[in-house]
């Protein structure tokens, strides 16, 4: 079958499943299957594809039409202009999380030329940790995750990005590894995009989220389970003037700000919006 006909074959089921940009997605899936880039697919409409390729393509399209995430099919997702390997053991990096990285980088400008140590709690595929260290050579990141499978994905990403010397990945609960007096007040920033979806809302979410690891999404009955624990981490680990930087759900910024205020020990609490104008990142400075 000609490549252009194969594309038409793919677009229809994806369109019928109400997935945005069905044509682009179909081209991405075909280029992934052929091991070529998108421009190759666009520029070879008459190439004949074998029956076995068409069969494989149909089964991929079927999976995608059932809302299995594109990033899991192609095995990667771009974040901060870097490609990250992803699979079902990690959440797929979201564009709004780039705000967390950008805001953190603003707080530690390159011109400072001093070394900074950052702890990233709940690192998943390592996207926040690796981006921070990639864009500021003076940042060293210790990143934790409770999931050993996620840590393995993060290791793979670190290797691909050749960043073994600037990021450490640790399989532990929250910041337990650092719960020792030798780390007290030694950290310049604690960053985290914790699970923050209310447990009761997990089943109502867009069907694609159903394929992502539940422990990466579930923030307890009110979605706020992790924030007091992260604030405790910030109190213990941050040096005076160090920053606690956390991503929050669309309606959680004020509640998280109040939690920080009620714990004391922090000042200059600010909320940053994401690209859709939603309050998304809460930043507080250790007194
Ligand atoms: C929302 S995902 C964030 C992943 C990644 N940092 C990102 O921003 O795309 C939350 C991550 O926290 C991890 N996690 C959940 N509970 C944890 C805990 N108690 N300690 C450490 N990590 C945890 C999950 O495994 C998951 O990788």
């Amino acid at each position: 079958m000609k490549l252009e006909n194969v594309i038409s074959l793919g677009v229809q089921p994806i369109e019928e499943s109400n997935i945005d940009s069905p044509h682009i997605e179909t081209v991405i899936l075909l280029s992934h299957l052929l091991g070529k880039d998108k421009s190759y697919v666009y520029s070879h409409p008459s190439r004949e594809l074998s029956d076995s390729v068409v069969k494989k393509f149909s089964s991929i399209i079927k999976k995608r039409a059932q809302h299995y995430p594109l990033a899991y099919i192609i095995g990667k997702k771009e974040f901060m202009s870097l490609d990250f390997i992803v699979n079902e053991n990690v959440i797929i990096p979201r564009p709004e999380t780039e705000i967390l990285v950008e805001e953190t980088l603003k707080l530690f400008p390159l011109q400072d030329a001093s070394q900074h140590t950052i702890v990233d709690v709940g690192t998943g595929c390592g996207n926040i940790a690796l981006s921070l260290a990639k864009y500021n050579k003076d940042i060293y990141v210790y990143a934790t995750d409770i999931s050993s499978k996620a840590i393995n994905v993060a290791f793979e990403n670190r290797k691909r990005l050749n960043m073994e010397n600037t990021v450490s990945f640790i399989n532990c609960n929250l910041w337990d590894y650092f719960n020792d007096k030798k780390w007290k007040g030694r950290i310049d920033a604690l960053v985290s995009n914790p699970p923050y979806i209310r447990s009761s809302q997990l089943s109502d979410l867009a069907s694609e989220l159903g394929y992502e690891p539940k422990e990466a999404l579930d923030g307890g009955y009110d979605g706020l389970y992790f924030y007091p624990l992260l604030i405790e981490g910030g109190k213990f680990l941050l040096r005076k003037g160090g920053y606690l930087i956390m991503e929050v759900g669309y309606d959680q910024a004020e509640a998280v700000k109040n939690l920080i205020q009620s714990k004391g020990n922090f000042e200059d609490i600010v909320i940053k919006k994401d690209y859709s104008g939603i309050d998304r990142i809460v930043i507080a400075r250790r007194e």
Side-chain angles (χ1 to χ4, degrees), residues 79 89-94 97 100 120-129 144-148 150-151 170-175 192-196 213-218 225-226 229 247:
F79 180 85
N89 297 314
V90 293
I91 200 172
I92 299 161
R94 304 294 201 270
T97 305
L100 184 152
D120 170 27
V121 175
T123 197
C125 70
N127 50 318
I128 294 176
T144 73
D145 204 290
I146 199 161
S147 157
S148 57
I151 289 287
I170 300 143
N171 182 205
C172 72
N173 179 43
L174 295 167
W175 48 279
S192 184
N193 172 20
Y196 55 64
K214 191 168 162 291
E215 60 278 17
L217 300 169
D218 190 347
Y225 172 79
F226 286 94
L229 305 168
E247 182 169 323

Side-chain angles (χ1 to χ4, degrees), residues 262-282:
S262 70
K263 295 269 176 196
N265 307 93
F266 287 93
E267 58 188 359
D268 300 338
I269 306 174
V270 289
I271 295 172
K272 299 283 175 180
K273 291 187 185 302
D274 66 16
Y275 304 119
S276 316
I278 293 169
D279 290 344
R280 188 59 73 185
I281 310 294
V282 179

Side-chain angles (χ1 to χ4, degrees), residues 79-264:
F79 180 85
M80 292 296 294
S81 305
L82 302 168
D83 267 345
F84 287 91
I85 294 175
V86 291
N87 61 32
E88 285 187 17
N89 297 314
V90 293
I91 200 172
I92 299 161
R94 304 294 201 270
E96 53 268 31
T97 305
E98 292 184 340
I99 312 275
L100 184 152
V101 174
E102 284 165 5
E103 291 298 331
T104 307
L105 289 170
K106 277 189 216 163
L107 294 170
F108 298 99
L110 259 175
Q111 304 86 286
D112 269 13
S114 52
Q115 295 297 312
H116 310 290
T117 308
I118 293 182
V119 170
D120 170 27
V121 175
T123 197
C125 70
N127 50 318
I128 294 176
L130 291 162
S131 305
L132 287 172
K134 186 76 180 176
Y135 292 112
N136 184 336
K137 60 176 178 25
D138 298 323
I139 287 178
Y140 190 96
V141 187
Y142 292 96
T144 73
D145 204 290
I146 199 161
S147 157
S148 57
K149 289 180 177 168
I151 289 287
N152 284 339
V153 177
F155 277 143
E156 232 180 300
N157 281 315
R158 184 177 69 175
K159 191 165 175 221
R160 276 165 60 106
L161 291 165
N162 204 7
M163 294 180 66
E164 274 93 347
N165 296 329
T166 46
V167 179
S168 290
F169 289 114
I170 300 143
N171 182 205
C172 72
N173 179 43
L174 295 167
W175 48 279
D176 283 2
Y177 176 84
F178 305 95
N179 198 358
D180 181 291
K181 65 177 185 310
K182 76 172 183 201
W183 291 100
K184 194 170 178 355
R186 303 300 293 271
I187 301 298
D188 297 298
L190 190 156
V191 302
S192 184
N193 172 20
Y196 55 64
I197 295 172
R198 290 177 183 82
S199 306
S200 58
Q201 287 179 344
L202 280 174
S203 50
D204 310 338
L205 294 166
S207 44
E208 295 198 20
L209 280 167
Y211 294 100
E212 295 187 86
K214 191 168 162 291
E215 60 278 17
L217 300 169
D218 190 347
Y221 82 98
D222 59 356
L224 299 172
Y225 172 79
F226 286 94
Y227 295 103
L229 305 168
L230 291 167
I231 296 166
E232 278 306 312
K235 266 172 79 172
F236 183 78
L237 291 174
L238 293 174
R239 64 164 166 80
K240 186 175 164 28
Y243 293 95
L244 176 63
I245 304 159
M246 301 182 290
E247 182 169 323
V248 297
Y250 71 97
D251 59 353
Q252 295 172 338
E254 279 304 319
V256 171
K257 186 177 173 182
N258 290 339
L259 280 172
I260 298 173
Q261 271 164 343
S262 70
K263 295 269 176 196

